[in-house]
Amino acid sequence: MLRPLYEKGRPAVLSFNVNAWCAWAPGIETPAQWQQWQRDGELGEPQMPSLDWVSAAQRRRLSSLTRIQLACAKTVIGDDSLPVIFASRHGELHRTFQLLTTLGEQEPLSPTHFSLSVHNAAAGLFGILREDRAPANVVVGDDDSLMLGLVEACAMLGSGQCEEVLLVAGEQQVPAPYVQFMASRQVDHALALRLGRGSNIRLINDALGQAQPWPLAMQLAALLASGESGRLALAEQGWTWQR
């Protein structure tokens, strides 16, 4: 978990611009739908993105998590080439769970499931399917993996390596045996942010959390849709999002 960051005794501030964004959750894709969800907390019926830019043979190999992550990422980046950061706590946990179940049943493993069970599967596939050689990185944390991705993105922008960076966050509901260990609500979701240098957004970390929070990426998508400042919170810590 990312502990509160401090600079000279005060909470550190991350500054950047959000040049474009796209988010997906069951029945929630447009800014208007995200604003409605922020008001009532109601999810809709899930409809997987089409991914018509990916061949049918390749689409069949993609997990639900990878599909929604790639769909949001492609919407934001188009045909541009940018450094990419993927942030996910569990990644392809469903594939790993399926592999472990298969081993327990003493059945042969699927080579496809095995090759796509690694944590950087989505990041690798995004580059391969787009024939893009731009740098790609994957960050892994707790429920705050999105924030770790923002720290990584700000470090890249601040180093002068690039003018923009693509950050993609996403999670899939964990398999049933793991639900009891989760502090946040379990919802399939993805968020893609096209970030640039600047100070249109200021993100300040603190220790004010809330019980049973929605995933951070969903909270942020609702704030982006509203165009307002606001709070983002997990069980043990929070952030102020200032525009």
Side-chain angles (χ1 to χ4, degrees):
M1 177 177 290
L2 179 64
R3 298 301 178 188
L5 302 176
Y6 290 91
E7 182 179 350
K8 297 182 179 179
R10 295 176 297 178
V13 178
L14 298 179
S15 299
F16 49 87
N17 291 347
V18 177
N19 297 332
W21 68 278
C22 177
W24 185 99
I28 312 173
E29 298 182 47
T30 67
Q33 290 171 332
W34 279 107
Q35 290 181 65
Q36 182 63 38
W37 173 79
Q38 188 178 37
R39 290 189 291 268
D40 60 27
E42 296 292 329
L43 301 172
E45 291 297 322
Q47 184 174 357
M48 283 290 107
S50 62
L51 290 185
D52 54 7
W53 54 278
V54 179
S55 70
Q58 292 283 8
R59 284 199 302 269
R60 286 193 292 270
R61 304 176 65 215
L62 303 180
S63 68
S64 298
L65 174 61
T66 298
R67 286 179 71 104
I68 60 177
Q69 286 180 307
L70 298 195
C72 290
K74 185 65 164 61
T75 298
V76 168
I77 199 174
D79 295 324
D80 295 339
S81 178
L82 295 176
V84 179
I85 302 167
F86 277 72
S88 178
R89 178 181 182 182
H90 298 112
E92 296 290 338
L93 180 59
H94 278 263
R95 288 193 190 272
T96 303
F97 182 73
Q98 184 176 358
L99 291 170
L100 292 173
T101 301
T102 301
L103 281 173
E105 296 170 348
Q106 299 185 338
E107 296 290 336
L109 297 179
S110 162
T112 299
H113 286 317
F114 183 78
S115 65
L116 295 177
S117 67
V118 295
H119 213 84
N120 62 348
L125 286 168
F126 191 57
I128 292 170
L129 294 173
R130 298 175 67 247
E131 298 182 353
D132 187 359
R133 295 175 178 264
N137 193 15
V138 177
V139 296
V140 183
D142 205 319
D143 284 340
D144 58 355
S145 292
L146 169 62
M147 294 304 171
L148 294 175
L150 285 169
V151 171
E152 178 74 10
C154 287
M156 292 181 67
L157 293 170
S159 71
Q161 298 178 46
C162 54
E163 294 293 328
E164 289 186 303
V165 61
L166 176 66
L167 172 60
V168 185
E171 298 291 350
Q172 188 175 3
Q173 295 185 57
V174 298
Y178 302 115
V179 172
Q180 60 182 310
F181 303 108
M182 300 297 105
S184 297
R185 305 187 196 194
Q186 295 298 295
V187 183
D188 292 5
H189 66 278
L191 170 68
L193 303 171
R194 185 165 179 160
L195 305 174
R197 297 181 191 173
S199 56
N200 289 349
I201 302 296
R202 286 162 48 87
L203 186 65
I204 306 169
N205 192 197
D206 58 51
L208 303 176
Q210 67 181 38
Q212 291 295 310
W214 289 97
L216 277 178
M218 294 180 64
Q219 297 179 43
L220 179 51
L223 273 182
L224 290 167
S226 72
E228 300 174 352
S229 300
R231 289 280 301 160
L232 304 168
L234 290 175
E236 298 180 359
Q237 61 179 319
W239 297 261
T240 299
W241 178 272
Q242 294 181 347
R243 301 184 70 91

CSV table of all heavy atoms in Angstrom, one decimal, residues 97-107 109:
chain,number,residue,atom,x,y,z
A,97,PHE,N,-6.0,-18.5,-11.1
A,97,PHE,CA,-6.9,-19.4,-10.3
A,97,PHE,C,-7.4,-20.6,-11.1
A,97,PHE,O,-7.4,-21.7,-10.6
A,97,PHE,CB,-8.1,-18.6,-9.8
A,97,PHE,CG,-9.1,-19.4,-9.0
A,97,PHE,CD1,-8.8,-19.7,-7.7
A,97,PHE,CD2,-10.3,-19.8,-9.5
A,97,PHE,CE1,-9.6,-20.4,-6.8
A,97,PHE,CE2,-11.2,-20.5,-8.7
A,97,PHE,CZ,-10.8,-20.8,-7.4
A,98,GLN,N,-7.6,-20.4,-12.4
A,98,GLN,CA,-8.0,-21.5,-13.2
A,98,GLN,C,-6.9,-22.5,-13.4
A,98,GLN,O,-7.1,-23.7,-13.4
A,98,GLN,CB,-8.5,-21.0,-14.6
A,98,GLN,CG,-9.0,-22.1,-15.6
A,98,GLN,CD,-9.5,-21.5,-16.9
A,98,GLN,OE1,-9.5,-20.2,-17.0
A,98,GLN,NE2,-9.9,-22.3,-17.8
A,99,LEU,N,-5.7,-22.0,-13.6
A,99,LEU,CA,-4.5,-22.8,-13.7
A,99,LEU,C,-4.3,-23.7,-12.4
A,99,LEU,O,-4.0,-24.9,-12.4
A,99,LEU,CB,-3.3,-22.0,-14.0
A,99,LEU,CG,-3.2,-21.4,-15.4
A,99,LEU,CD1,-2.0,-20.4,-15.4
A,99,LEU,CD2,-3.0,-22.4,-16.4
A,100,LEU,N,-4.4,-23.0,-11.2
A,100,LEU,CA,-4.3,-23.7,-10.0
A,100,LEU,C,-5.3,-24.8,-9.8
A,100,LEU,O,-5.1,-25.9,-9.3
A,100,LEU,CB,-4.3,-22.7,-8.8
A,100,LEU,CG,-3.1,-21.7,-8.7
A,100,LEU,CD1,-3.4,-20.7,-7.6
A,100,LEU,CD2,-1.8,-22.5,-8.5
A,101,THR,N,-6.6,-24.5,-10.2
A,101,THR,CA,-7.7,-25.4,-10.1
A,101,THR,C,-7.4,-26.6,-11.0
A,101,THR,O,-7.6,-27.8,-10.6
A,101,THR,CB,-9.0,-24.8,-10.5
A,101,THR,OG1,-9.3,-23.7,-9.6
A,101,THR,CG2,-10.1,-25.8,-10.4
A,102,THR,N,-6.9,-26.4,-12.2
A,102,THR,CA,-6.5,-27.4,-13.1
A,102,THR,C,-5.4,-28.3,-12.6
A,102,THR,O,-5.5,-29.6,-12.7
A,102,THR,CB,-6.1,-26.9,-14.5
A,102,THR,OG1,-7.2,-26.0,-15.0
A,102,THR,CG2,-5.8,-28.0,-15.5
A,103,LEU,N,-4.4,-27.7,-12.0
A,103,LEU,CA,-3.3,-28.5,-11.3
A,103,LEU,C,-3.9,-29.3,-10.2
A,103,LEU,O,-3.5,-30.5,-10.1
A,103,LEU,CB,-2.3,-27.5,-10.8
A,103,LEU,CG,-1.3,-26.9,-11.7
A,103,LEU,CD1,-0.4,-25.9,-11.0
A,103,LEU,CD2,-0.4,-28.0,-12.4
A,104,GLY,N,-4.8,-28.8,-9.4
A,104,GLY,CA,-5.4,-29.6,-8.3
A,104,GLY,C,-6.2,-30.7,-8.8
A,104,GLY,O,-6.3,-31.8,-8.1
A,105,GLU,N,-6.7,-30.6,-10.0
A,105,GLU,CA,-7.5,-31.7,-10.6
A,105,GLU,C,-6.6,-32.7,-11.4
A,105,GLU,O,-7.1,-33.6,-12.0
A,105,GLU,CB,-8.6,-31.2,-11.5
A,105,GLU,CG,-9.6,-30.4,-10.7
A,105,GLU,CD,-10.6,-29.6,-11.6
A,105,GLU,OE1,-10.3,-29.5,-12.8
A,105,GLU,OE2,-11.6,-29.1,-11.1
A,106,GLN,N,-5.3,-32.4,-11.4
A,106,GLN,CA,-4.3,-33.2,-12.1
A,106,GLN,C,-4.6,-33.3,-13.6
A,106,GLN,O,-4.4,-34.3,-14.2
A,106,GLN,CB,-4.1,-34.5,-11.5
A,106,GLN,CG,-3.7,-34.5,-10.0
A,106,GLN,CD,-3.4,-35.9,-9.4
A,106,GLN,OE1,-3.9,-36.9,-9.9
A,106,GLN,NE2,-2.6,-35.9,-8.4
A,107,GLU,N,-5.0,-32.2,-14.2
A,107,GLU,CA,-5.3,-32.1,-15.6
A,107,GLU,C,-4.2,-31.3,-16.3
A,107,GLU,O,-3.5,-30.5,-15.6
A,107,GLU,CB,-6.6,-31.4,-15.8
A,107,GLU,CG,-7.8,-32.2,-15.3
A,107,GLU,CD,-8.1,-33.4,-16.1
A,107,GLU,OE1,-7.7,-33.5,-17.2
A,107,GLU,OE2,-8.7,-34.4,-15.5
A,109,LEU,N,-2.3,-28.3,-18.2
A,109,LEU,CA,-2.5,-26.9,-18.3
A,109,LEU,C,-2.6,-26.4,-19.7
A,109,LEU,O,-2.0,-27.0,-20.6
A,109,LEU,CB,-1.3,-26.2,-17.6
A,109,LEU,CG,-1.1,-26.4,-16.1
A,109,LEU,CD1,0.1,-25.6,-15.6
A,109,LEU,CD2,-2.3,-26.1,-15.3
